[in-house]
Amino acid sequence: MTFQFSDGQPAQTHVAAPGESVLDVALNNGIQLQHNCGGVCGCSTCHIYINAGGDDLPEISDKEEDFIDRAENPRINSRLACQCVLERDMQVTVTIPPQHFLGH
């Protein structure tokens, strides 16, 4: 899994185990990604952009889509990192937007 950062930090690549979410991988590797609800799809603070590998992720739920609508600068490739669970060895590239806000 490759993490890119909108603030200009160099990209980071980390190994992810099946069953881990993008949020899990980020936090396990010291990458700051807000998660006010604790990763239970109860807010929009772990909002990310999926740049590659999105077709292999679980389909977006109505609940997740509702929270993405509340995120700062949502795009067509927006997802919540807590809901992007890796089911097998997958190549996924994400961008973490600025983390300077308090989400919903």
Side-chain angles (χ1 to χ4, degrees), residues 18-99:
E20 283 188 305
S21 69
V22 172
L23 177 61
D24 294 332
V25 177
L27 298 178
N28 290 342
N29 289 286
I31 296 172
Q32 183 178 4
L33 181 54
Q34 293 187 36
H35 54 288
N36 290 353
C37 73
V40 296
C41 197
C43 69
S44 64
T45 57
C46 69
H47 170 237
I48 57 171
Y49 304 116
I50 305 292
N51 301 326
D55 292 340
D56 294 328
L57 294 170
E59 191 172 322
I60 191 169
S61 69
D62 290 341
K63 182 177 179 182
E64 180 183 359
E65 209 163 355
D66 287 344
F67 281 113
I68 288 171
D69 287 342
R70 302 176 199 175
E72 187 174 298
N73 297 319
R75 300 179 187 162
I76 193 75
N77 63 334
S78 291
R79 292 292 304 264
L80 298 181
C82 67
Q83 298 301 295
C84 295
V85 177
L86 307 167
E87 297 173 353
R88 61 186 183 291
D89 186 22
M90 301 164 53
Q91 298 296 319
V92 177
T93 303
V94 304
T95 296
I96 298 179
Q99 297 289 291

